[in-house]
Amino acid sequence: MSNDKDTVQADLFANGPNAATLKKAGNRGGTVPFSLLEKIRGKSPSVRAIQFLGLLRIPEGKKAGKPLKLADFQRKFVKGAYSKNVMVGVLSIGRGNAKTALAAGLALAELVGAIEVKPQPKREVIIAARNRDQAKTAFSFVLGFIQGFPEADQALFVIRRGSKLEIEFEGNGGGLVRVIAADGKSILGGAPTLAIMDERAAWVRDKGDDLENAILSGLGKRDGRALIISTSAPDDTNTFSRWLDQPPPGTFVQEHRPAFGLPADDLESLLVANPGAKEGIGSTPEWLVAQAKRAIARGGSALSSFRNLNRNERISTEDRSVLVTVDEWLSAEVAPDVLPPRDGPCVLGVDLGGSRSMSAAAFYWPETGRLEALGTFPAFPGLADRGAADGVSSRYVEMQERGELSVMGENTVPPGPWLAEIVRLLDGIQPACIVGDRFRHAEFLEAMENAGIGRVPFIMRGFGWKDGAEDIERFRRSLFDGEIKVAPSLLLRAAFADAITLIDPAGNHKLAKARSLGRIDSAAATVLAVAQGVRMRAAPTRKARASWA
C-alpha cells in the first residue's frame, strides 16, 4: 500500500469539515462508525446487499443524483449470486444494461462490510478487467457512489489514483478495493473476499485464464465470492461461454441471450438481451430498433458487432475472412412448408471424415435451389461427450434430435455403408453426380462401389487455392442471388459460423476453420454441391446436329 504522501483524497475528503472528527476518533483498527450501516436490517447477504444498493445515488447519466432503484433482472442476479452455497455469480447481458454499475455497487457494499451481518476485518475487493482503462470504469462508479454519501461517511475513504487504483476504507474493520489488469502475476498472494471480473469474454485467452485461476484460488483463503459479468463471447470455446454452458457446482448463472437466427431488429428478442430498456436503464427500445436497422443496412462487421454486443449473441465480430456472415446465411433459410421441391438433377456434395471425425453430405437441386444437409459421427465417444470436448455443450445432441446428425460405426464412419444410407435418404432419386475431395479419389470410388452407385459420375475437386477459390465464389454468388433455399438447420448454422477463408496474396480464398475444434464438414459439402450445381446450370445445352440424307 502507498504511504500518505502518495494518497489523494477523493474530492479532498481528508481536508473537509469532518477531517478533524476522523483524526479525533483515532482511526485505529477501523473503529470509526459508518452511518449508512445503521439502515440495513436484513439477515441474509442478498437482502442486505439489496438494501445497501437502495441507499446509493446514481452518479451519472440521465438520472444522476436520484436514488438507485434496482431493476427486476438486477434484483434477480443479486439474490441468486448471494444465495447460500453460491461462490460464483455469472451474468451475461447486452451492453448498456448497467452491469458494471451494479458490480461497482456490490464492490462498495463489500468494502464497507454491509453484506455480512458479521463482516470480516480488512476486507479485500478485486476489480479485474482486460486492461486498466476498462477496470477504471468500475472504479469510477465506486467513486461516484461514495460522493453521494454524507460528508462524515465520505471522510472514511482514502482514494489512490497513482500507479495503483485503490480505495481504502477506514471504518467497520477496514477494507481495500484494488483494480488490476488481466495479468496473473499481479494477484498472486492475494486473499480477496470479493472479486469482480468485468467483461470477462474480452480478456486475452491465456493471460485471462491465468488471472481467473489466481483469483479463484485466492478466494478460497477467506471464503470469498466472485462475480463474473460480461456481454456474450464470440464463440462457445471462450472461457466465459464455458461458465455459462458448463457451470461447476456453487455457480449461479443468469444469461440474457435471445434465440439464434432471429432478425437483428426483432424487438421482442432485443428486449430479452436488454431487459433494462423496459425499466429505464440504458438504451430505449426505440433506439435499439433504430440501431439494429442501421446495422442491417451497413451489414458486415457493423451487423456482427451489433449482434454480439447489443443482442448478446455469440457472433464473431471478425468478419474480414468469414465464408459468409450469419445474417447472409440466414437469408437462405425458409420454413419447411415453403421449401422448393426436389425437381431436376440432384448434386451430392460429400466431405468424408477421417478417424473419429464427422462425415457430411449436402444435396442440392440447382433447378429449384433446394438444399439439404446431414452429418454423421462415429458412436465413440458419445455425442454428449464429444460436444463437451468440442466446447459446444449439448449442441450435437440437439442436432440429432432435430434429425440433422446421425451416428454410425464405432471409432470411424464406414464410407461405403454411410454413403449407401445417404443415397437411401433420396427416396429413389439417383444423384446426377457426386462431388468430393480429389485426394481421396480412391476411397470415394471404393465407397461408391460398396454403396451400389458405382456408375454415378464422380467429380474431383480440391480444397486448395485453385479449386477452392472458384467453388467459394460460385457458392457466395448463389447465396447472395437467392438461389439457395434450406430449412432451418442447426448443423449448417454451426458449420458456417465456424467457417472462414484464408486469402493468398492474389486474393484467392480457400476454406478453413475459425477454431481448431470447429466442425465445418457440412459447410464444405454444401460449397462443393452448390458450386457444381452452378456449373451444371451454366453449361450450354448441346443442340442436335443436322443430318443430311
Side-chain angles (χ1 to χ4, degrees):
M1 294 171 55
S2 305
N3 57 36
D4 291 340
K5 293 183 180 180
D6 298 326
T7 299
V8 178
Q9 296 284 3
D11 288 344
L12 301 178
F13 290 162
N15 297 321
N18 295 284
T21 303
L22 177 62
K23 294 175 181 177
K24 189 178 297 183
N27 193 23
R28 295 177 182 176
T31 58
V32 180
F34 185 63
S35 65
L36 293 185
L37 295 181
E38 300 174 359
K39 301 179 181 181
I40 300 176
R41 305 295 184 184
K43 295 183 179 180
S44 68
S46 61
V47 172
R48 292 178 66 86
I50 291 173
Q51 290 178 347
F52 178 82
L53 292 172
L55 301 175
L56 303 178
R57 292 189 175 275
I58 300 174
E60 59 184 59
K62 296 178 290 185
K63 298 184 179 181
K66 295 182 179 180
L68 179 64
K69 183 180 179 181
L70 292 181
D72 290 341
F73 75 92
Q74 294 173 321
R75 189 180 299 271
K76 177 183 176 182
F77 176 69
V78 174
K79 287 182 178 180
Y82 283 89
S83 297
K84 187 177 181 181
N85 298 325
V86 171
M87 297 175 289
V88 179
V90 185
L91 175 63
S92 174
I93 196 169
R95 171 177 286 183
N97 283 271
K99 58 183 179 298
T100 299
L102 174 63
L106 294 172
L108 182 56
E110 177 67 25
L111 175 64
V112 301
I115 295 180
E116 301 292 341
V117 176
K118 294 182 179 180
Q120 298 185 44
K122 298 182 180 179
R123 297 166 297 280
E124 183 179 351
V125 180
I126 297 295
I127 299 178
R130 177 174 180 173
N131 52 50
R132 175 187 169 101
D133 290 338
Q134 192 176 51
K136 193 174 180 181
T137 302
F139 183 82
S140 298
F141 270 114
V142 177
L143 293 184
F145 289 138
I146 292 174
Q147 291 168 0
F149 289 161
E151 291 184 353
D153 291 331
Q154 291 185 25
L156 299 177
F157 295 89
V158 180
I159 315 302
R160 301 186 178 94
R161 295 192 183 92
S163 58
K164 296 181 179 180
L165 294 177
E166 296 180 344
I167 302 175
E168 186 175 358
F169 179 63
E170 298 179 324
N172 195 26
L176 178 70
V177 169
R178 289 201 294 156
V179 170
I180 60 175
D183 180 356
K185 297 179 181 179
S186 63
I187 190 60
L188 294 178
T193 54
L194 175 66
I196 294 172
M197 305 182 209
D198 194 16
E199 292 298 349
R200 178 65 182 89
W203 292 12
V204 177
R205 185 177 298 270
D206 293 336
K207 288 187 176 181
D209 289 348
D210 289 343
L211 174 58
E212 178 186 287
N213 294 332
I215 289 175
L216 294 179
S217 64
L219 289 171
K221 300 177 182 179
R222 301 178 65 178
D223 296 327
R225 191 185 310 267
L227 302 178
I228 306 176
I229 60 175
S230 181
T231 52
S232 187
D235 57 66
D236 294 324
T237 61
N238 187 282
T239 303
F240 183 68
S241 297
R242 295 204 299 271
W243 274 108
L244 298 170
D245 298 340
Q246 305 163 23
T251 304
F252 171 77
V253 173
Q254 184 172 324
E255 184 178 20
H256 297 267
R257 179 158 57 112
F260 185 77
L262 296 173
D265 59 352
D266 178 69
L267 178 58
E268 184 177 352
S269 57
L270 275 170
L271 295 179
V272 170
N274 300 273
K278 297 182 292 185
E279 303 191 51
I281 296 177
S283 308
T284 63
E286 295 77 16
W287 185 91
L288 288 170
V289 172
Q291 287 298 107
K293 292 184 181 299
R294 189 174 294 113
I296 292 172
R298 292 178 62 188
S301 60
L303 182 55
S304 299
S305 295
F306 181 84
R307 282 190 173 275
N308 181 238
L309 300 176
N310 296 95
R311 289 184 58 86
N312 202 39
E313 296 183 21
R314 292 185 189 176
I315 300 295
S316 175
T317 56
E318 178 58 60
D319 74 333
R320 294 180 181 178
S321 61
V322 295
L323 178 60
V324 291
T325 66
V326 171
D327 288 89
E328 288 168 348
W329 174 250
L330 291 178
S331 66
E333 293 190 353
V334 297
D337 56 346
V338 297
L339 200 61
R342 290 176 163 184
D343 289 343
C346 172
V347 180
L348 174 55
V350 176
D351 186 4
L352 279 182
S355 58
R356 297 171 65 91
S357 62
M358 179 191 288
S359 292
F363 311 100
Y364 182 60
W365 286 264
E367 291 187 4
T368 63
R370 180 181 179 125
L371 175 69
E372 300 175 13
L374 178 72
T376 303
F377 273 125
F380 182 81
L383 294 182
D385 294 335
R386 191 184 294 271
D390 288 354
V392 295
S393 188
S394 61
R395 181 185 294 176
Y396 296 150
V397 175
E398 185 178 353
M399 289 178 186
Q400 185 183 39
E401 293 172 350
R402 293 164 60 106
E404 302 164 1
L405 187 64
S406 62
V407 174
M408 180 180 288
E410 291 295 328
N411 293 314
T412 62
V413 176
W418 175 76
L419 200 54
E421 180 64 26
I422 290 297
V423 174
R424 275 196 292 270
L425 295 175
L426 291 174
D427 297 327
I429 299 176
Q430 183 84 336
C433 63
I434 297 178
V435 191
D437 188 353
R438 66 159 43 95
F439 291 103
R440 306 186 69 174
H441 182 206
E443 192 174 354
F444 266 108
L445 295 181
E446 293 174 2
M448 291 169 64
E449 287 291 339
N450 293 335
I453 53 174
R455 294 186 178 183
V456 175
F458 177 71
I459 309 297
M460 296 184 295
R461 301 295 294 176
F463 285 103
W465 305 113
K466 183 178 182 296
D467 289 351
E470 178 192 336
D471 290 347
I472 287 172
E473 185 60 26
R474 289 184 184 274
F475 165 76
R476 283 173 168 168
R477 288 191 179 186
S478 296
L479 178 64
F480 300 156
D481 290 341
E483 297 172 350
I484 301 175
K485 300 299 180 184
V486 61
S489 169
L490 182 59
L491 173 71
L492 289 174
R493 287 178 183 178
F496 281 107
D498 274 331
I500 63 171
T501 61
L502 303 179
I503 308 174
D504 72 0
N508 298 308
H509 294 250
K510 71 174 181 179
L511 198 59
K513 297 179 181 180
R515 59 189 183 94
S516 60
L517 297 176
R519 302 290 185 179
I520 65 170
D521 311 83
S522 58
T526 298
V527 170
L528 291 174
V530 172
Q532 179 59 26
V534 173
R535 281 189 289 268
M536 291 170 56
R537 194 171 59 242
T541 303
R542 293 185 178 182
K543 297 181 179 180
R545 293 184 179 181
S547 60
W548 300 91

